[in-house]
Amino acid sequence: MVDNGSSADILYLPAYQQMRLDKDKLRPMDAPLVGFTGDKVCPVGIVTLPITVGTHPKTVSKTVDFLVVNCPSAYNAIIGRPTLNRLRAVTSTYHLLLKFPTEHGIGEVRGDQVAARECYLASLGPGGQNQTMTIEEQKILVKPSGELDTIGLEDGRPERTAKIGADLPPKMKESLVQFLKENKDVFAWSHEDMPGIDPSIISHKLNVNPSLRPIKQKRRVFAPERNNAIMEEVDKLLAANFIREVFYPDWLANVVMVKKSTGKWRMCVDFTDLNKACPKDSFPLPRIDQLVDSTAGHKLLTFMDAFSGYNQIVMDESDQEKTSFITSRGLFCYKVMPFGLKNAGATYQRLMNRMFHDQIGRNVEVYVDDMLRGIEANPDKIKAILEMQPPKSTKEVQRLTGRIAALNRFMSRSTDKCLPFFKTLKKAFEWTDECQQAFEELKNQFRTNPRRRKTTVARLLHE
């Protein structure tokens, strides 16, 4: 079964046993899966298997990490979002069709609605209760259940610390502490600890449209408190060798002071005019929800946050003076890539993909230099469904299914729940009792859980 609402690829135990695989291929896994009712099911283990999708010659072969689950089901396996994302597949529930790119054109896999319905009915127990486990996102954001311990990494240097889970098993905790202490040299504690990235590997280029006239912003005057904060920041940037003084620049921008939650000021540069003159770098950034899905099945997760990551990439020498900004002390430009430039994120992601090429998708995921966070359904889209009246025409049914499609990542078995609606689109419009019941169940599902969220990395860490 293909289920784009599943955050994991599942292989049911009876199917695994019938394949007569070597037991050594099954790797242990302790992290539980959470079902639709909130029940937790611990997988038997993880097994890596090759799959081929499509019809010759338009096929794609991948190796997939399946979670082996001992749970009654009429299906042999569930292909979830992790594999669908790797296939770059596009699904259509209306056409019961899966399309994906191959070396020989667009491959297709077509579903059989009759067979799918028979499988669904076969999964119902004697009492009419569906026993098939549904792997879906949690409906609420669960905060980490464990505390973090701060550990010192170097004797005599109390400021050099790291944090690890307080509830980790003693042996694992001891091993992690020892590992961090042995590799403390990889951490940066100050700007002086950062050697920077060699320009031969990457540098940031602006690619300014030469037909546009450079713009010099008129200097803004700041209150004494903000001006003092600007001077302090300029001193820090000069000491770190991130900026240099400049004379007669063509482009000139003002600084913007933003107050942080701590009460201190953050200095930014208003690159609005410069950014308008730069074309967009279309280098693809990862989707947060796909990164969260990729964490499924891992027993232990760790996080690394790049220390002044952007500032480790140098500006192309020919573009440095274009980043010039004005202060009461003088004019300065950046020697390293600053925040606020239009394509800085794409440049940084390009570097990360190059550095971790052999590990991304296997044991490392990178999204610029930020942490992964929870993903929440758009409350306006939920409200739109709750306020809908029962459809009175085919066009209104299409509007309903469109709104549901926008939220299908936050619903389990969305295809089954919407099946009555799809039936009305295949013939003359008729809003049946089955449609009305499905409509009410759908609205009730969102009404009782208005803040549906996906499982977060924090949850996976502490399950």
Side-chain angles (χ1 to χ4, degrees):
M1 180 176 72
V2 174
D3 184 2
N4 58 10
S6 174
S7 60
D9 298 303
I10 306 297
L11 179 65
Y12 288 100
L13 185 59
Y16 172 78
Q17 293 171 333
Q18 291 173 23
M19 296 171 74
R20 302 182 183 278
L21 298 172
D22 189 341
K23 291 183 179 180
D24 293 338
K25 291 186 176 181
L26 189 63
R27 308 187 302 277
M29 177 187 174
D30 296 332
L33 295 170
V34 182
F36 179 72
T37 61
D39 296 332
K40 297 178 182 178
V41 177
C42 288
V44 178
I46 305 175
V47 63
T48 302
L49 299 173
I51 66 169
T52 299
V53 184
T55 304
H56 184 78
K58 298 178 180 180
T59 62
V60 174
S61 296
K62 298 286 184 184
T63 56
V64 179
D65 289 333
F66 286 98
L67 305 186
V68 180
V69 175
N70 186 9
C71 178
S73 174
Y75 303 104
N76 292 322
I78 293 178
I79 300 298
R81 285 200 303 272
T83 296
L84 293 176
N85 293 337
R86 291 180 60 205
L87 292 173
R88 293 183 291 166
V90 177
T91 59
S92 171
T93 54
Y94 178 75
H95 297 96
L96 296 177
L97 182 65
L98 181 74
K99 287 191 174 185
F100 47 90
T102 74
E103 293 182 355
H104 302 283
I106 302 299
E108 294 184 354
V109 173
R110 293 188 175 274
D112 186 329
Q113 192 174 60
V114 175
R117 192 64 182 174
E118 289 177 354
C119 286
Y120 175 71
L121 293 174
S123 69
L124 297 178
Q129 298 296 319
N130 190 342
Q131 298 178 5
T132 302
M133 184 182 69
T134 303
I135 306 303
E136 65 146 14
E137 301 85 357
Q138 268 297 83
K139 304 172 204 49
I140 59 174
L141 180 64
V142 180
K143 295 182 179 180
S145 59
E147 299 296 328
L148 295 175
D149 282 345
T150 300
I151 59 169
L153 298 183
E154 186 174 347
D155 295 337
R157 304 296 295 270
E159 76 282 1
R160 300 190 171 187
T161 62
K163 293 183 177 181
I164 64 174
D167 299 330
L168 290 173
K171 288 186 178 180
M172 181 181 291
K173 188 174 183 179
E174 181 181 353
S175 177
L176 280 174
V177 171
Q178 184 62 30
F179 177 79
L180 291 171
K181 288 183 176 180
E182 291 175 354
N183 295 278
K184 60 180 182 293
D185 59 304
V186 305
F187 297 102
W189 311 101
S190 66
H191 295 300
E192 289 73 22
D193 296 331
M194 300 189 309
I197 304 298
D198 192 310
S200 63
I201 298 176
I202 197 169
S203 64
H204 187 63
K205 299 178 176 63
L206 295 179
N207 196 23
V208 173
N209 186 341
S211 66
L212 297 180
R213 179 177 61 84
I215 295 177
K216 293 183 179 180
Q217 296 179 2
K218 187 177 180 180
R219 181 191 166 194
R220 299 170 189 165
V221 179
F222 294 94
E225 180 189 3
R226 299 190 185 192
N227 194 62
N228 290 336
I230 293 173
M231 293 302 99
E232 290 179 6
E233 185 64 20
V234 168
D235 288 338
K236 291 179 183 178
L237 293 172
L238 284 170
N241 201 30
F242 287 172
I243 62 174
R244 63 179 174 87
E245 193 171 10
V246 66
F247 305 93
Y248 311 110
D250 294 325
W251 291 86
L252 191 60
N254 276 286
V255 298
V256 179
M257 300 305 293
V258 180
K259 203 157 193 174
K260 297 189 287 187
S261 58
T262 59
K264 296 182 178 181
W265 294 98
R266 175 186 287 116
M267 189 185 86
C268 307
V269 179
D270 182 8
F271 288 125
T272 304
D273 297 319
L274 181 61
N275 287 338
K276 290 179 180 178
C278 299
K280 178 179 174 57
D281 185 344
S282 299
F283 188 84
L285 297 180
R287 288 176 51 177
I288 288 286
D289 53 345
Q290 292 180 4
L291 298 190
V292 174
D293 287 345
S294 69
T295 64
H298 294 275
K299 182 178 180 181
L300 188 66
L301 301 178
T302 59
F303 300 90
M304 293 187 295
D305 188 15
F307 183 83
S308 295
Y310 278 29
N311 299 147
Q312 297 190 50
I313 299 175
V314 299
M315 286 292 302
D316 187 79
E317 190 171 354
S318 63
D319 287 327
Q320 288 183 7
E321 293 196 4
K322 295 183 179 71
T323 67
S324 297
F325 58 93
I326 185 170
T327 72
S328 60
R329 183 180 295 179
L331 310 181
F332 302 90
C333 73
Y334 277 92
K335 300 171 66 176
V336 297
M337 185 175 72
F339 286 95
L341 290 179
K342 185 175 185 177
N343 297 311
T347 296
Y348 193 88
Q349 187 68 43
R350 184 180 281 109
L351 172 64
M352 293 297 100
N353 287 9
R354 191 172 300 173
M355 289 175 58
F356 298 105
H357 176 269
D358 295 333
Q359 293 168 281
I360 290 177
R362 180 170 61 89
N363 61 355
V364 169
E365 296 294 348
V366 182
Y367 184 82
V368 194
D369 65 344
D370 289 334
M371 294 297 180
L372 298 179
R373 295 179 175 84
I375 301 167
E376 181 178 343
N378 188 326
D380 292 333
K381 293 181 179 180
I382 294 177
K383 182 180 179 182
I385 291 179
L386 293 177
E387 293 180 348
M388 283 190 73
Q389 298 298 318
K392 298 180 180 179
S393 66
T394 298
K395 187 174 182 179
E396 290 184 4
V397 174
Q398 292 172 337
R399 185 180 298 117
L400 171 62
T401 55
R403 290 175 176 177
I404 295 172
L407 295 168
N408 66 354
R409 286 188 180 275
F410 303 89
M411 299 171 57
S412 66
R413 305 184 66 85
S414 58
T415 303
D416 286 336
K417 293 175 182 177
C418 295
L419 189 59
F421 308 143
F422 295 133
K423 288 180 179 179
T424 66
L425 297 174
K426 293 187 175 183
K427 54 185 179 181
F429 174 78
E430 180 184 6
W431 189 253
T432 63
D433 292 340
E434 183 186 17
C435 292
Q436 183 62 31
Q437 181 180 351
F439 184 60
E440 292 299 330
E441 289 177 354
L442 176 71
K443 294 176 72 171
N444 185 60
Q445 183 178 5
F446 283 111
R447 189 179 293 112
T448 54
N449 298 288
R451 296 177 65 82
R452 298 179 66 80
R453 299 185 186 223
K454 296 181 66 176
T455 302
T456 62
V457 173
R459 173 180 176 78
L460 292 171
L461 264 173
H462 297 278
E463 283 285 13

